[in-house]
Amino acid sequence: MFGCRKTAPPMPFRTFCKIFFLSLFGITLSLDIYGIGLIYTSATLAAATTNCLPAITFFLAFLLRIESLKIKTTPGIAKLIGVVACLAGAATFAFYKGPSLKFLSHFHLLDYHKSIQHQGHAQSGAWIKGCFLMLLSNTFFGLWLVLQTFIIKGYPSKLLFTTIQCFLSSIQSFVIALAVERDIEQWKLGWNVRLLAVLYCGIMVTGVSYYLQTWVIEKKGPVFLAMSTPLALIITIFASAAVLGEIISLGSLLGGFVLILGLYSVLWGKNREHMPKATLDMEQASSG
């Protein structure tokens, strides 16, 4: 960190202000709203709604002219089909349950069972509120992915850029927590799974993953990163079953399969767009 600070270019005040608001909307508010929405839904449903992120990010990047969509070309059609498949897979997961597969729920690691009523018979008002909050959170996150592209071009020190974002987000989250939570008992942490969750989120989710995301954005662009989010749904399905004892449904597996197809359809289209024209001509000639 200190070595990076010595070699990093000086940061203008205007850039610092951009990073401040980028952290506020992209990290602080996005994660806080996501956490509130999680109260009204469940881990698997939250992961399913997160798969709207590729479509949101692509739409925002298209508006800001970072991404292009040439529907008359094969890569453009593949990207469009991939985004539609991601939305279709997320909808299948959210609205179609099908038969329950209980082969993993008997071996949960924690003494905790997710109530079926919480997911299947929740009040419609709370469910709609949770979905809206998830959509708002994903919109903030997609905007964060897209706007990073502009800031990285003017300030290419990725490690310092990520560190400042995490530092500012920590201060912002602390101020929001002080304003919202006044019960001192809720601030206490013991040697339990809550402490493990805080450490994991602070070190891995915020520190390590955000740096890796910034690196991927610089190399491949924001939509490439966003299209990898369907994999989180697959991991969440099996982790929720193994750790919390949630029951896996056939709809979850079908939706996850469609999401994976959509993911690789978009990645294939983006890869074809970045291929040299001479290589494409050679492939078409050989196939013809």
Side-chain angles (χ1 to χ4, degrees):
M1 168 63 193
F2 293 103
C4 178
R5 182 67 184 91
K6 292 179 181 179
T7 58
M11 178 179 295
F13 180 73
R14 184 177 181 181
T15 301
F16 179 82
C17 293
K18 292 179 180 180
I19 296 177
F20 176 85
F21 286 105
L22 188 67
S23 303
L24 177 62
F25 288 97
I27 301 179
T28 305
L29 292 181
S30 176
L31 292 179
D32 288 348
I33 294 174
Y34 190 88
I36 297 174
L38 190 60
I39 298 175
Y40 298 103
T41 56
S42 64
T44 48
L45 184 58
T49 56
T50 304
N51 289 284
C52 297
L53 181 61
I56 294 174
T57 305
F58 182 84
F59 178 72
L60 294 174
F62 180 75
L63 290 180
L64 296 175
R65 298 183 179 181
I66 298 177
E67 285 287 331
S68 61
L69 181 61
K70 301 177 181 178
I71 57 176
K72 294 183 179 180
T73 63
T74 302
I77 295 175
K79 289 165 64 175
L80 182 60
I81 292 176
V83 171
V84 173
C86 285
L87 296 177
T92 301
F93 178 85
F95 300 110
Y96 173 71
K97 294 186 65 175
S100 299
L101 307 175
K102 303 180 181 181
F103 59 92
L104 279 178
S105 60
H106 298 291
F107 304 99
H108 55 91
L109 300 179
L110 300 179
D111 189 16
Y112 174 81
H113 287 274
K114 192 70 175 178
S115 175
I116 300 300
Q117 287 79 11
H118 181 72
Q119 184 175 3
H121 304 283
Q123 295 182 358
S124 59
W127 185 85
I128 294 175
K129 183 188 297 184
C131 290
F132 173 76
L133 291 174
M134 290 295 178
L135 179 61
L136 182 61
S137 172
N138 292 327
T139 301
F140 281 152
F141 194 80
L143 188 62
W144 176 70
L145 294 176
V146 174
L147 293 180
Q148 278 190 84
T149 305
F150 298 100
I151 298 180
I152 291 174
K153 290 181 179 179
Y155 194 79
S157 180
K158 298 184 294 296
L159 182 58
L160 186 60
F161 176 64
T162 305
T163 303
I164 293 176
Q165 283 194 94
C166 295
F167 176 73
L168 292 175
S169 179
S170 299
I171 298 176
Q172 295 162 358
S173 300
F174 180 70
V175 173
I176 294 175
L178 283 178
V180 174
E181 186 57 68
R182 304 296 180 87
D183 186 6
I184 192 63
E185 295 296 326
Q186 298 298 324
W187 288 79
K188 296 180 179 180
L189 291 175
W191 294 98
N192 49 32
V193 70
R194 292 181 60 184
L195 178 61
L196 179 61
V198 171
L199 293 176
Y200 178 81
C201 290
I203 298 173
M204 298 301 298
V205 177
T206 304
V208 176
S209 69
Y210 281 0
Y211 172 75
L212 294 177
Q213 288 174 8
T214 304
W215 182 83
V216 171
I217 289 173
E218 183 187 38
K219 297 295 183 181
K220 293 294 187 178
V223 177
F224 185 94
L225 174 64
M227 292 308 300
S228 65
T229 55
L231 297 176
L233 172 59
I234 308 301
I235 297 173
T236 302
I237 291 174
F238 289 98
S240 298
V243 177
L244 301 178
E246 287 189 1
I247 298 176
I248 298 177
S249 65
L250 180 61
S252 300
L253 298 180
L254 292 177
F257 178 73
V258 176
L259 285 168
I260 295 298
L261 292 180
L263 164 65
Y264 288 105
S265 177
V266 173
L267 294 183
W268 182 86
K270 286 187 64 64
N271 182 62
R272 297 282 293 185
E273 285 182 343
H274 288 85
M275 289 179 64
K277 187 177 185 301
T279 304
L280 293 176
D281 293 338
M282 291 178 61
E283 288 187 359
Q284 292 177 358
S286 61
S287 61

PDB file of all heavy atoms in Angstrom, residues 149-179:
ATOM      1  N   THR A 149     -15.054   3.054 -14.955  1.00  0.00           N
ATOM      2  CA  THR A 149     -14.282   3.074 -16.189  1.00  0.00           C
ATOM      3  C   THR A 149     -13.715   4.459 -16.465  1.00  0.00           C
ATOM      4  O   THR A 149     -12.560   4.606 -16.866  1.00  0.00           O
ATOM      5  CB  THR A 149     -15.174   2.631 -17.367  1.00  0.00           C
ATOM      6  OG1 THR A 149     -15.747   1.349 -17.076  1.00  0.00           O
ATOM      7  CG2 THR A 149     -14.373   2.547 -18.650  1.00  0.00           C
ATOM      8  N   PHE A 150     -14.515   5.488 -16.227  1.00  0.00           N
ATOM      9  CA  PHE A 150     -14.070   6.855 -16.493  1.00  0.00           C
ATOM     10  C   PHE A 150     -13.009   7.307 -15.486  1.00  0.00           C
ATOM     11  O   PHE A 150     -12.058   8.001 -15.846  1.00  0.00           O
ATOM     12  CB  PHE A 150     -15.271   7.807 -16.452  1.00  0.00           C
ATOM     13  CG  PHE A 150     -16.310   7.514 -17.490  1.00  0.00           C
ATOM     14  CD1 PHE A 150     -17.455   6.803 -17.159  1.00  0.00           C
ATOM     15  CD2 PHE A 150     -16.135   7.931 -18.802  1.00  0.00           C
ATOM     16  CE1 PHE A 150     -18.418   6.537 -18.114  1.00  0.00           C
ATOM     17  CE2 PHE A 150     -17.096   7.662 -19.769  1.00  0.00           C
ATOM     18  CZ  PHE A 150     -18.239   6.961 -19.425  1.00  0.00           C
ATOM     19  N   ILE A 151     -13.178   6.923 -14.213  1.00  0.00           N
ATOM     20  CA  ILE A 151     -12.232   7.363 -13.191  1.00  0.00           C
ATOM     21  C   ILE A 151     -10.893   6.645 -13.345  1.00  0.00           C
ATOM     22  O   ILE A 151      -9.825   7.245 -13.174  1.00  0.00           O
ATOM     23  CB  ILE A 151     -12.817   7.132 -11.782  1.00  0.00           C
ATOM     24  CG1 ILE A 151     -14.095   7.959 -11.615  1.00  0.00           C
ATOM     25  CG2 ILE A 151     -11.800   7.500 -10.704  1.00  0.00           C
ATOM     26  CD1 ILE A 151     -14.744   7.803 -10.259  1.00  0.00           C
ATOM     27  N   ILE A 152     -10.932   5.356 -13.676  1.00  0.00           N
ATOM     28  CA  ILE A 152      -9.691   4.593 -13.830  1.00  0.00           C
ATOM     29  C   ILE A 152      -8.843   5.152 -14.968  1.00  0.00           C
ATOM     30  O   ILE A 152      -7.613   5.152 -14.895  1.00  0.00           O
ATOM     31  CB  ILE A 152     -10.009   3.103 -14.051  1.00  0.00           C
ATOM     32  CG1 ILE A 152     -10.591   2.493 -12.779  1.00  0.00           C
ATOM     33  CG2 ILE A 152      -8.766   2.333 -14.465  1.00  0.00           C
ATOM     34  CD1 ILE A 152     -11.065   1.075 -12.944  1.00  0.00           C
ATOM     35  N   LYS A 153      -9.479   5.643 -16.013  1.00  0.00           N
ATOM     36  CA  LYS A 153      -8.729   6.211 -17.130  1.00  0.00           C
ATOM     37  C   LYS A 153      -7.932   7.437 -16.697  1.00  0.00           C
ATOM     38  O   LYS A 153      -6.827   7.673 -17.181  1.00  0.00           O
ATOM     39  CB  LYS A 153      -9.677   6.579 -18.265  1.00  0.00           C
ATOM     40  CG  LYS A 153     -10.278   5.375 -18.982  1.00  0.00           C
ATOM     41  CD  LYS A 153     -11.194   5.813 -20.099  1.00  0.00           C
ATOM     42  CE  LYS A 153     -11.781   4.605 -20.826  1.00  0.00           C
ATOM     43  NZ  LYS A 153     -12.709   5.006 -21.924  1.00  0.00           N
ATOM     44  N   GLY A 154      -8.496   8.248 -15.780  1.00  0.00           N
ATOM     45  CA  GLY A 154      -7.794   9.436 -15.326  1.00  0.00           C
ATOM     46  C   GLY A 154      -6.915   9.197 -14.122  1.00  0.00           C
ATOM     47  O   GLY A 154      -5.997   9.998 -13.843  1.00  0.00           O
ATOM     48  N   TYR A 155      -7.182   8.117 -13.387  1.00  0.00           N
ATOM     49  CA  TYR A 155      -6.372   7.801 -12.197  1.00  0.00           C
ATOM     50  C   TYR A 155      -6.159   6.294 -12.169  1.00  0.00           C
ATOM     51  O   TYR A 155      -6.944   5.551 -11.576  1.00  0.00           O
ATOM     52  CB  TYR A 155      -7.075   8.279 -10.921  1.00  0.00           C
ATOM     53  CG  TYR A 155      -6.152   8.283  -9.721  1.00  0.00           C
ATOM     54  CD1 TYR A 155      -5.243   9.321  -9.541  1.00  0.00           C
ATOM     55  CD2 TYR A 155      -6.178   7.258  -8.786  1.00  0.00           C
ATOM     56  CE1 TYR A 155      -4.384   9.343  -8.456  1.00  0.00           C
ATOM     57  CE2 TYR A 155      -5.318   7.262  -7.708  1.00  0.00           C
ATOM     58  CZ  TYR A 155      -4.434   8.307  -7.545  1.00  0.00           C
ATOM     59  OH  TYR A 155      -3.573   8.325  -6.477  1.00  0.00           O
ATOM     60  N   PRO A 156      -5.097   5.794 -12.825  1.00  0.00           N
ATOM     61  CA  PRO A 156      -4.943   4.351 -13.063  1.00  0.00           C
ATOM     62  C   PRO A 156      -4.401   3.539 -11.895  1.00  0.00           C
ATOM     63  O   PRO A 156      -4.203   2.338 -12.043  1.00  0.00           O
ATOM     64  CB  PRO A 156      -3.954   4.315 -14.237  1.00  0.00           C
ATOM     65  CG  PRO A 156      -3.126   5.548 -14.066  1.00  0.00           C
ATOM     66  CD  PRO A 156      -4.046   6.587 -13.493  1.00  0.00           C
ATOM     67  N   SER A 157      -4.135   4.145 -10.732  1.00  0.00           N
ATOM     68  CA  SER A 157      -3.617   3.382  -9.598  1.00  0.00           C
ATOM     69  C   SER A 157      -4.752   2.591  -8.961  1.00  0.00           C
ATOM     70  O   SER A 157      -5.507   3.099  -8.120  1.00  0.00           O
ATOM     71  CB  SER A 157      -2.977   4.328  -8.568  1.00  0.00           C
ATOM     72  OG  SER A 157      -2.472   3.598  -7.470  1.00  0.00           O
ATOM     73  N   LYS A 158      -4.884   1.308  -9.368  1.00  0.00           N
ATOM     74  CA  LYS A 158      -6.042   0.512  -8.952  1.00  0.00           C
ATOM     75  C   LYS A 158      -6.051   0.228  -7.460  1.00  0.00           C
ATOM     76  O   LYS A 158      -7.095   0.285  -6.808  1.00  0.00           O
ATOM     77  CB  LYS A 158      -6.063  -0.807  -9.735  1.00  0.00           C
ATOM     78  CG  LYS A 158      -6.217  -0.628 -11.230  1.00  0.00           C
ATOM     79  CD  LYS A 158      -6.330  -1.953 -11.936  1.00  0.00           C
ATOM     80  CE  LYS A 158      -5.051  -2.762 -11.829  1.00  0.00           C
ATOM     81  NZ  LYS A 158      -3.918  -2.100 -12.504  1.00  0.00           N
ATOM     82  N   LEU A 159      -4.884  -0.097  -6.881  1.00  0.00           N
ATOM     83  CA  LEU A 159      -4.836  -0.453  -5.471  1.00  0.00           C
ATOM     84  C   LEU A 159      -5.194   0.735  -4.588  1.00  0.00           C
ATOM     85  O   LEU A 159      -5.993   0.604  -3.651  1.00  0.00           O
ATOM     86  CB  LEU A 159      -3.447  -0.986  -5.112  1.00  0.00           C
ATOM     87  CG  LEU A 159      -3.252  -1.439  -3.664  1.00  0.00           C
ATOM     88  CD1 LEU A 159      -4.249  -2.538  -3.314  1.00  0.00           C
ATOM     89  CD2 LEU A 159      -1.827  -1.927  -3.441  1.00  0.00           C
ATOM     90  N   LEU A 160      -4.629   1.897  -4.877  1.00  0.00           N
ATOM     91  CA  LEU A 160      -4.956   3.085  -4.099  1.00  0.00           C
ATOM     92  C   LEU A 160      -6.403   3.507  -4.323  1.00  0.00           C
ATOM     93  O   LEU A 160      -7.092   3.942  -3.390  1.00  0.00           O
ATOM     94  CB  LEU A 160      -4.008   4.227  -4.474  1.00  0.00           C
ATOM     95  CG  LEU A 160      -4.133   5.504  -3.628  1.00  0.00           C
ATOM     96  CD1 LEU A 160      -3.858   5.201  -2.161  1.00  0.00           C
ATOM     97  CD2 LEU A 160      -3.180   6.582  -4.138  1.00  0.00           C
ATOM     98  N   PHE A 161      -6.869   3.353  -5.543  1.00  0.00           N
ATOM     99  CA  PHE A 161      -8.260   3.665  -5.870  1.00  0.00           C
ATOM    100  C   PHE A 161      -9.221   2.796  -5.060  1.00  0.00           C
ATOM    101  O   PHE A 161     -10.209   3.280  -4.493  1.00  0.00           O
ATOM    102  CB  PHE A 161      -8.472   3.457  -7.372  1.00  0.00           C
ATOM    103  CG  PHE A 161      -9.879   3.638  -7.832  1.00  0.00           C
ATOM    104  CD1 PHE A 161     -10.506   4.866  -7.743  1.00  0.00           C
ATOM    105  CD2 PHE A 161     -10.579   2.572  -8.378  1.00  0.00           C
ATOM    106  CE1 PHE A 161     -11.822   5.032  -8.175  1.00  0.00           C
ATOM    107  CE2 PHE A 161     -11.868   2.727  -8.812  1.00  0.00           C
ATOM    108  CZ  PHE A 161     -12.500   3.948  -8.716  1.00  0.00           C
ATOM    109  N   THR A 162      -8.924   1.501  -4.969  1.00  0.00           N
ATOM    110  CA  THR A 162      -9.761   0.593  -4.189  1.00  0.00           C
ATOM    111  C   THR A 162      -9.670   0.898  -2.705  1.00  0.00           C
ATOM    112  O   THR A 162     -10.689   0.879  -1.988  1.00  0.00           O
ATOM    113  CB  THR A 162      -9.324  -0.861  -4.439  1.00  0.00           C
ATOM    114  OG1 THR A 162      -9.353  -1.134  -5.842  1.00  0.00           O
ATOM    115  CG2 THR A 162     -10.230  -1.835  -3.708  1.00  0.00           C
ATOM    116  N   THR A 163      -8.465   1.196  -2.201  1.00  0.00           N
ATOM    117  CA  THR A 163      -8.281   1.485  -0.780  1.00  0.00           C
ATOM    118  C   THR A 163      -9.055   2.730  -0.363  1.00  0.00           C
ATOM    119  O   THR A 163      -9.707   2.752   0.695  1.00  0.00           O
ATOM    120  CB  THR A 163      -6.782   1.682  -0.470  1.00  0.00           C
ATOM    121  OG1 THR A 163      -6.069   0.515  -0.872  1.00  0.00           O
ATOM    122  CG2 THR A 163      -6.563   1.911   1.020  1.00  0.00           C
ATOM    123  N   ILE A 164      -9.006   3.762  -1.174  1.00  0.00           N
ATOM    124  CA  ILE A 164      -9.729   4.999  -0.850  1.00  0.00           C
ATOM    125  C   ILE A 164     -11.228   4.751  -0.855  1.00  0.00           C
ATOM    126  O   ILE A 164     -11.958   5.249   0.017  1.00  0.00           O
ATOM    127  CB  ILE A 164      -9.348   6.098  -1.858  1.00  0.00           C
ATOM    128  CG1 ILE A 164      -7.886   6.496  -1.684  1.00  0.00           C
ATOM    129  CG2 ILE A 164     -10.247   7.324  -1.680  1.00  0.00           C
ATOM    130  CD1 ILE A 164      -7.396   7.496  -2.694  1.00  0.00           C
ATOM    131  N   GLN A 165     -11.703   3.965  -1.812  1.00  0.00           N
ATOM    132  CA  GLN A 165     -13.133   3.650  -1.847  1.00  0.00           C
ATOM    133  C   GLN A 165     -13.574   2.916  -0.578  1.00  0.00           C
ATOM    134  O   GLN A 165     -14.608   3.248   0.023  1.00  0.00           O
ATOM    135  CB  GLN A 165     -13.448   2.800  -3.074  1.00  0.00           C
ATOM    136  CG  GLN A 165     -13.502   3.561  -4.370  1.00  0.00           C
ATOM    137  CD  GLN A 165     -14.132   2.735  -5.468  1.00  0.00           C
ATOM    138  OE1 GLN A 165     -15.329   2.802  -5.734  1.00  0.00           O
ATOM    139  NE2 GLN A 165     -13.328   1.929  -6.122  1.00  0.00           N
ATOM    140  N   CYS A 166     -12.801   1.920  -0.180  1.00  0.00           N
ATOM    141  CA  CYS A 166     -13.148   1.151   1.022  1.00  0.00           C
ATOM    142  C   CYS A 166     -13.092   2.034   2.265  1.00  0.00           C
ATOM    143  O   CYS A 166     -13.944   1.926   3.159  1.00  0.00           O
ATOM    144  CB  CYS A 166     -12.205  -0.045   1.167  1.00  0.00           C
ATOM    145  SG  CYS A 166     -12.357  -1.279  -0.140  1.00  0.00           S
ATOM    146  N   PHE A 167     -12.089   2.900   2.340  1.00  0.00           N
ATOM    147  CA  PHE A 167     -11.951   3.791   3.492  1.00  0.00           C
ATOM    148  C   PHE A 167     -13.127   4.769   3.574  1.00  0.00           C
ATOM    149  O   PHE A 167     -13.725   4.954   4.647  1.00  0.00           O
ATOM    150  CB  PHE A 167     -10.633   4.553   3.404  1.00  0.00           C
ATOM    151  CG  PHE A 167     -10.438   5.564   4.506  1.00  0.00           C
ATOM    152  CD1 PHE A 167     -10.160   5.150   5.797  1.00  0.00           C
ATOM    153  CD2 PHE A 167     -10.545   6.920   4.233  1.00  0.00           C
ATOM    154  CE1 PHE A 167      -9.995   6.087   6.822  1.00  0.00           C
ATOM    155  CE2 PHE A 167     -10.378   7.855   5.241  1.00  0.00           C
ATOM    156  CZ  PHE A 167     -10.104   7.438   6.537  1.00  0.00           C
ATOM    157  N   LEU A 168     -13.472   5.378   2.458  1.00  0.00           N
ATOM    158  CA  LEU A 168     -14.592   6.315   2.447  1.00  0.00           C
ATOM    159  C   LEU A 168     -15.910   5.603   2.730  1.00  0.00           C
ATOM    160  O   LEU A 168     -16.764   6.128   3.458  1.00  0.00           O
ATOM    161  CB  LEU A 168     -14.662   7.023   1.095  1.00  0.00           C
ATOM    162  CG  LEU A 168     -13.517   7.988   0.770  1.00  0.00           C
ATOM    163  CD1 LEU A 168     -13.650   8.525  -0.645  1.00  0.00           C
ATOM    164  CD2 LEU A 168     -13.477   9.134   1.776  1.00  0.00           C
ATOM    165  N   SER A 169     -16.071   4.407   2.171  1.00  0.00           N
ATOM    166  CA  SER A 169     -17.300   3.656   2.414  1.00  0.00           C
ATOM    167  C   SER A 169     -17.429   3.259   3.881  1.00  0.00           C
ATOM    168  O   SER A 169     -18.536   3.230   4.429  1.00  0.00           O
ATOM    169  CB  SER A 169     -17.338   2.420   1.521  1.00  0.00           C
ATOM    170  OG  SER A 169     -18.500   1.655   1.747  1.00  0.00           O
ATOM    171  N   SER A 170     -16.294   2.960   4.542  1.00  0.00           N
ATOM    172  CA  SER A 170     -16.330   2.623   5.968  1.00  0.00           C
ATOM    173  C   SER A 170     -16.827   3.803   6.790  1.00  0.00           C
ATOM    174  O   SER A 170     -17.662   3.647   7.699  1.00  0.00           O
ATOM    175  CB  SER A 170     -14.938   2.201   6.437  1.00  0.00           C
ATOM    176  OG  SER A 170     -14.488   1.059   5.737  1.00  0.00           O
ATOM    177  N   ILE A 171     -16.335   4.999   6.481  1.00  0.00           N
ATOM    178  CA  ILE A 171     -16.784   6.197   7.195  1.00  0.00           C
ATOM    179  C   ILE A 171     -18.262   6.467   6.915  1.00  0.00           C
ATOM    180  O   ILE A 171     -19.045   6.761   7.838  1.00  0.00           O
ATOM    181  CB  ILE A 171     -15.929   7.413   6.790  1.00  0.00           C
ATOM    182  CG1 ILE A 171     -14.472   7.181   7.181  1.00  0.00           C
ATOM    183  CG2 ILE A 171     -16.455   8.688   7.439  1.00  0.00           C
ATOM    184  CD1 ILE A 171     -13.538   8.280   6.733  1.00  0.00           C
ATOM    185  N   GLN A 172     -18.670   6.367   5.666  1.00  0.00           N
ATOM    186  CA  GLN A 172     -20.064   6.604   5.305  1.00  0.00           C
ATOM    187  C   GLN A 172     -20.995   5.605   5.990  1.00  0.00           C
ATOM    188  O   GLN A 172     -22.054   5.977   6.516  1.00  0.00           O
ATOM    189  CB  GLN A 172     -20.213   6.524   3.789  1.00  0.00           C
ATOM    190  CG  GLN A 172     -19.472   7.605   3.033  1.00  0.00           C
ATOM    191  CD  GLN A 172     -19.276   7.261   1.569  1.00  0.00           C
ATOM    192  OE1 GLN A 172     -19.660   6.182   1.108  1.00  0.00           O
ATOM    193  NE2 GLN A 172     -18.669   8.177   0.813  1.00  0.00           N
ATOM    194  N   SER A 173     -20.604   4.325   5.989  1.00  0.00           N
ATOM    195  CA  SER A 173     -21.431   3.295   6.624  1.00  0.00           C
ATOM    196  C   SER A 173     -21.504   3.512   8.134  1.00  0.00           C
ATOM    197  O   SER A 173     -22.560   3.283   8.746  1.00  0.00           O
ATOM    198  CB  SER A 173     -20.856   1.907   6.319  1.00  0.00           C
ATOM    199  OG  SER A 173     -20.827   1.658   4.934  1.00  0.00           O
ATOM    200  N   PHE A 174     -20.396   3.951   8.740  1.00  0.00           N
ATOM    201  CA  PHE A 174     -20.387   4.204  10.181  1.00  0.00           C
ATOM    202  C   PHE A 174     -21.335   5.338  10.535  1.00  0.00           C
ATOM    203  O   PHE A 174     -22.079   5.256  11.523  1.00  0.00           O
ATOM    204  CB  PHE A 174     -18.969   4.542  10.635  1.00  0.00           C
ATOM    205  CG  PHE A 174     -18.845   4.815  12.107  1.00  0.00           C
ATOM    206  CD1 PHE A 174     -18.982   3.794  13.035  1.00  0.00           C
ATOM    207  CD2 PHE A 174     -18.601   6.104  12.562  1.00  0.00           C
ATOM    208  CE1 PHE A 174     -18.874   4.044  14.394  1.00  0.00           C
ATOM    209  CE2 PHE A 174     -18.493   6.366  13.921  1.00  0.00           C
ATOM    210  CZ  PHE A 174     -18.627   5.330  14.832  1.00  0.00           C
ATOM    211  N   VAL A 175     -21.348   6.391   9.734  1.00  0.00           N
ATOM    212  CA  VAL A 175     -22.248   7.520   9.986  1.00  0.00           C
ATOM    213  C   VAL A 175     -23.704   7.088   9.835  1.00  0.00           C
ATOM    214  O   VAL A 175     -24.567   7.424  10.657  1.00  0.00           O
ATOM    215  CB  VAL A 175     -21.914   8.684   9.034  1.00  0.00           C
ATOM    216  CG1 VAL A 175     -22.963   9.795   9.172  1.00  0.00           C
ATOM    217  CG2 VAL A 175     -20.529   9.239   9.324  1.00  0.00           C
ATOM    218  N   ILE A 176     -24.000   6.319   8.789  1.00  0.00           N
ATOM    219  CA  ILE A 176     -25.364   5.839   8.581  1.00  0.00           C
ATOM    220  C   ILE A 176     -25.791   4.910   9.717  1.00  0.00           C
ATOM    221  O   ILE A 176     -26.931   4.981  10.212  1.00  0.00           O
ATOM    222  CB  ILE A 176     -25.476   5.126   7.223  1.00  0.00           C
ATOM    223  CG1 ILE A 176     -25.267   6.125   6.088  1.00  0.00           C
ATOM    224  CG2 ILE A 176     -26.832   4.440   7.083  1.00  0.00           C
ATOM    225  CD1 ILE A 176     -25.251   5.489   4.713  1.00  0.00           C
ATOM    226  N   ALA A 177     -24.890   4.043  10.158  1.00  0.00           N
ATOM    227  CA  ALA A 177     -25.209   3.113  11.248  1.00  0.00           C
ATOM    228  C   ALA A 177     -25.490   3.869  12.545  1.00  0.00           C
ATOM    229  O   ALA A 177     -26.394   3.506  13.302  1.00  0.00           O
ATOM    230  CB  ALA A 177     -24.064   2.127  11.443  1.00  0.00           C
ATOM    231  N   LEU A 178     -24.719   4.916  12.827  1.00  0.00           N
ATOM    232  CA  LEU A 178     -24.957   5.725  14.025  1.00  0.00           C
ATOM    233  C   LEU A 178     -26.322   6.396  13.974  1.00  0.00           C
ATOM    234  O   LEU A 178     -27.003   6.519  15.007  1.00  0.00           O
ATOM    235  CB  LEU A 178     -23.864   6.785  14.178  1.00  0.00           C
ATOM    236  CG  LEU A 178     -22.505   6.328  14.705  1.00  0.00           C
ATOM    237  CD1 LEU A 178     -21.535   7.505  14.732  1.00  0.00           C
ATOM    238  CD2 LEU A 178     -22.637   5.720  16.097  1.00  0.00           C
ATOM    239  N   ALA A 179     -26.723   6.825  12.799  1.00  0.00           N
ATOM    240  CA  ALA A 179     -28.002   7.513  12.669  1.00  0.00           C
ATOM    241  C   ALA A 179     -29.187   6.553  12.753  1.00  0.00           C
ATOM    242  O   ALA A 179     -30.259   6.917  13.244  1.00  0.00           O
ATOM    243  CB  ALA A 179     -28.046   8.285  11.354  1.00  0.00           C
TER     244      ALA A 179
END
